[in-house]
């Protein structure tokens, strides 16, 4: 394996040491008088009435206030202890992540908290990797469009160039490992390869063997990053988080925003080698994960809440199947592109019904996107300007009621658009391009 972190990471980052605070030696356990961190000793500025609405039995300062309503149980968050800085290391939370990903499917080795970085969503990990390994104005990253837009945004912010090796739209947006490896052969400035699996917007899980070909490149001294934001909607055992124990340059990012339904707390993790994890933890802000975020994340990863996640996932997959079976019956709906491994679908919108020879059309797809939002209050995502996605909308799988409303409204909207196109002049080409680019610019 050619990977050498001492030659790949930026020299100034290699010199960093993980943040240390007094809590490493003297914990906030009630036995210490904590007069070291300039915290407010009188507690947070929360009124008694505000705290009481979250508590069964409001207590005196110093005792945890129990938040009600987490799937019929409770999550003990000490609202009256929020004047203390949070745990900078998150060891207990990291252990919970390891527990759910130590499946022993891809290796016999075991993940430990030393293999993890916790960030404010996966976006912090994306940015931290760029800052750790890419010299601004010199190094590059490789992406495989169509893909998640934050790789490009973070690279641009960090003055890092982007090399693209598109997925193969003719083969359900499969990864092209030979083309990726050939590009790595030709450009030694590429430090990070970002792969999205399942892909966004493709919804397709990348093949393990294809990823292995890139990881086994004989001379590439850089990182391979797999973004697994949607992995829990894929078949059991699909996550390659454990594989970081076999490949020292592999990073696997995950989030609680999708299957765990906690987008609001902004918590993502990166599994990787202990050496890379140490770098990421050295350059992060000291207290990047708040106490409420950590507490809610830990509650979500507990046994009872994990059962809730699996139950909700089953309902989402059922609704996904409903969309897969029902959408093609609507005149004007074309093919599904990509795969069925996420909580969304990528579907073509046609310029006229398929039976009349309809073809994927960006103008009609954009019109559907606009009319659904403006007249039906149903918001989907236009992806027609992405590589291989002409005429495509990305549709998130909703609840039973949401799916029912969506199916009714998109059929009605398509019917109205086809009728109106026969009676009115289309927008100018310039206006159409501008509208498509604006709609496609939304990242998430």
């Amino acid at each position: 394996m050619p990977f050498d972190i001492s030659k790949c990471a930026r020299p100034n980052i290699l010199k960093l040491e993980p943040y240390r605070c007094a809590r490493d030696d003297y914990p906030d356990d009630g036995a210490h008088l904590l007069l070291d961190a300039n915290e407010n000793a009188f507690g947070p500025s929360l009124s008694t009435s505000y705290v009481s609405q979250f508590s069964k039995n409001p207590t005196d300062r110093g005792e945890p206030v129990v938040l009600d309503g987490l799937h019929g149980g409770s999550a003990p968050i000490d609202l009256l202890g929020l004047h203390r800085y949070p745990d900078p290391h998150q060891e207990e939370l990291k252990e919970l992540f390891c527990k759910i990903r130590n499946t022993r499917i891809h290796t016999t080795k075991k993940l430990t908290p030393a293999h993890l970085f916790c960030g404010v969503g996966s976006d912090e990990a994306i940015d931290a990797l760029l800052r750790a390994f890419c010299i601004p104005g010199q190094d590059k990253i490789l992406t495989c469009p169509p893909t998640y837009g934050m790789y490009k945004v973070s690279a641009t912010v960090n003055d890092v160039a982007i090399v693209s090796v598109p997925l193969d739209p003719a083969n359900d947006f499969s990864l092209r490992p030979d083309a990726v490896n050939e590009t790595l052969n030709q450009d030694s400035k590429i430090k990070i390869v970002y792969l999205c699996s399942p892909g966004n917007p493709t919804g397709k899980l990348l093949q393990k063997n294809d990823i292995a070909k890139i990881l086994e490149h004989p001379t590439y001294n850089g990182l391979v990053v797999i973004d697994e934001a949607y992995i829990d909607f894929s078949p059991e055992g699909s996550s390659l988080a454990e594989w970081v124990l076999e490949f020292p340059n592999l990073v696997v990012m995950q989030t609680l925003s999708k299957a765990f339904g906690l987008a609001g707390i902004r918590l993502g993790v990166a599994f990787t080698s202990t050496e890379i994890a140490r770098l990421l933890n050295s350059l992060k802000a000291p207290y990047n994960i708040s106490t409420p975020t950590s507490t809610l994340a830990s509650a979500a990863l507990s046994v009872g809440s994990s059962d809730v996640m699996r139950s909700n996932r089953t309902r989402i997959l059922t609704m996904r199947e409903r969309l897969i079976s029902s959408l093609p019956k609507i005149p004007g709906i074309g093919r599904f592109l990509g795969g069925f491994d996420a909580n969304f679908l990528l579907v073509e919108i046609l310029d006229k019904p398929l039976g009349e020879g309809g073809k994927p059309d960006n103008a009609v797809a954009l019109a559907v996107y606009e009319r659904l939002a403006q007249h039906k209050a149903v918001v989907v995502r236009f992806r027609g300007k992405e590589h291989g996605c002409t005429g495509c909308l990305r549709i998130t799988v909703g609840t039973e009621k949401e799916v029912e409303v969506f199916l009714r409204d998109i059929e009605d909207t398509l019917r109205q658009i086809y009728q109106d196109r026969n009676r009115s002049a289309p927008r100018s080409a310039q206006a159409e391009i501008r509208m498509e680019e604006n709609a496609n610019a939304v990242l998430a």
Side-chain angles (χ1 to χ4, degrees):
M1 175 63 66
F3 182 69
D4 184 347
I5 194 171
S6 67
K7 296 178 181 178
C8 183
R10 294 168 62 184
N12 57 312
I13 302 298
L14 289 168
K15 295 176 182 178
L16 292 175
E17 293 290 335
Y19 180 81
R20 279 188 54 78
C21 69
R23 296 304 163 269
D24 296 338
D25 303 314
Y26 309 107
D28 184 10
D29 57 4
H32 297 92
L33 185 64
L34 303 176
L35 303 176
D36 62 313
N38 298 337
E39 299 156 328
N40 187 328
F42 290 90
S45 299
L46 295 174
S47 70
T48 302
S49 60
Y50 180 82
V51 173
S52 297
Q53 68 179 304
F54 290 108
S55 176
K56 289 180 179 177
N57 300 299
T59 59
D60 292 334
R61 181 180 171 276
E63 298 180 24
V65 173
V66 177
L67 296 186
D68 299 323
L70 188 64
H71 307 308
S74 62
I77 296 179
D78 185 5
L79 289 182
L80 296 178
L82 292 178
H83 59 306
R84 299 299 183 192
Y85 286 108
D87 176 8
H89 307 301
Q90 307 294 336
E91 293 291 317
E92 294 181 2
L93 175 59
K94 291 175 181 177
E95 185 61 52
L96 290 172
F97 273 104
C98 290
K99 186 175 180 180
I100 67 171
R101 298 307 179 197
N102 274 321
T103 63
R104 304 297 175 91
I105 293 174
H106 306 287
T107 182
T108 58
K109 301 174 184 176
K110 186 177 181 181
L111 292 164
T112 69
H115 293 98
L116 266 77
F117 164 78
C118 291
V120 182
S122 297
D123 294 342
E124 183 175 359
I126 293 169
D127 183 70
L129 289 164
L130 281 160
R131 289 188 287 127
F133 289 91
C134 295
I135 298 174
Q138 177 176 313
D139 291 328
K140 305 175 183 179
I141 66 169
L142 186 150
T143 65
C144 298
T147 193
Y148 182 41
M150 276 306 298
Y151 312 140
K152 180 179 180 179
V153 170
S154 291
T156 301
V157 168
N158 287 281
D159 194 18
V160 174
I162 303 168
V163 177
S164 295
V165 179
L167 300 173
D168 184 1
N171 192 23
D172 291 328
F173 292 106
S174 293
L175 185 63
R176 298 161 58 216
D178 294 338
V180 171
N181 283 344
E182 180 58 31
T183 303
L184 296 178
N185 288 337
Q186 296 173 0
D187 196 338
S188 63
K189 295 297 184 182
I190 297 173
K191 288 292 189 70
I192 304 176
V193 176
Y194 281 106
L195 305 175
C196 197
S197 181
N200 177 9
T202 68
K204 180 180 176 64
L205 192 70
L206 299 181
Q207 292 297 310
K208 181 179 177 181
N209 290 341
D210 289 341
I211 296 173
K213 289 180 181 179
I214 300 172
L215 287 165
E216 293 167 353
H217 190 290
T219 61
Y220 175 54
N221 188 37
L223 304 184
V224 176
V225 180
I226 307 175
D227 188 343
E228 292 189 342
Y230 300 94
I231 197 65
D232 290 302
F233 299 108
S234 302
E236 290 286 346
S238 295
S239 173
L240 297 178
E242 292 178 312
W243 238 11
V244 304
L245 301 169
E246 300 295 334
F247 296 97
N249 63 330
L250 175 61
V251 181
V252 176
M253 302 186 303
Q254 296 182 356
T255 178
L256 294 185
S257 297
K258 307 303 179 183
F260 284 89
L262 289 174
I265 71 171
R266 305 304 299 129
L267 194 285
V269 295
F271 296 87
T272 188
S273 67
T274 56
E275 293 81 8
I276 295 175
R278 178 181 174 86
L279 282 187
L280 297 179
N281 286 309
S282 296
L283 65 82
K284 76 175 182 67
Y287 305 107
N288 63 327
I289 305 301
S290 72
T291 297
T293 290
S294 178
T295 303
L296 288 169
S298 296
L301 295 170
S302 66
V303 174
S305 294
S306 292
D307 291 342
V308 173
M309 183 277 283
R310 284 187 284 270
S311 175
N312 287 340
R313 178 182 61 192
T314 297
R315 297 172 68 187
I316 289 171
L317 299 186
T318 299
M319 289 299 99
R320 187 176 71 187
E321 290 302 316
R322 168 85 185 280
L323 287 171
I324 292 171
S325 64
S326 298
L327 272 172
K329 299 175 184 177
I330 297 174
I333 297 294
R335 301 171 300 169
F336 292 108
L337 300 188
F340 306 120
D341 300 311
N343 68 330
F344 59 84
L345 297 169
L346 186 66
V347 63
E348 293 176 330
I349 304 298
L350 309 180
D351 58 357
K352 53 188 173 183
L354 185 62
E356 300 174 17
K359 297 180 180 179
D361 187 89
N362 272 354
V364 177
L366 181 62
V368 171
Y369 161 75
E370 291 174 338
R371 292 200 187 190
L372 280 175
Q374 295 168 9
H375 301 304
K376 305 290 188 180
V378 175
V379 183
V380 295
R381 188 62 50 81
F382 174 77
R383 297 286 82 171
K385 303 295 284 187
E386 300 292 328
H387 175 76
C389 298
T390 298
C392 282
L393 298 179
R394 194 195 70 190
I395 301 161
T396 302
V397 179
T399 64
E400 292 90 339
K401 182 178 180 180
E402 289 169 342
V403 167
E404 188 72 35
V405 169
F406 167 73
L407 289 170
R408 179 196 67 205
D409 286 350
I410 194 171
E411 182 172 12
D412 182 55
T413 298
L414 275 165
R415 182 173 58 253
Q416 291 178 358
I417 288 173
Y418 293 146
Q419 291 173 352
D420 291 346
R421 291 188 86 192
N422 294 329
R423 295 195 299 258
S424 60
R427 283 189 288 232
S428 69
Q430 186 176 8
E432 184 65 34
I433 291 172
R434 184 173 63 254
M435 296 295 291
E436 290 175 8
E437 290 177 345
N438 288 340
N440 200 80
V442 183
L443 292 177

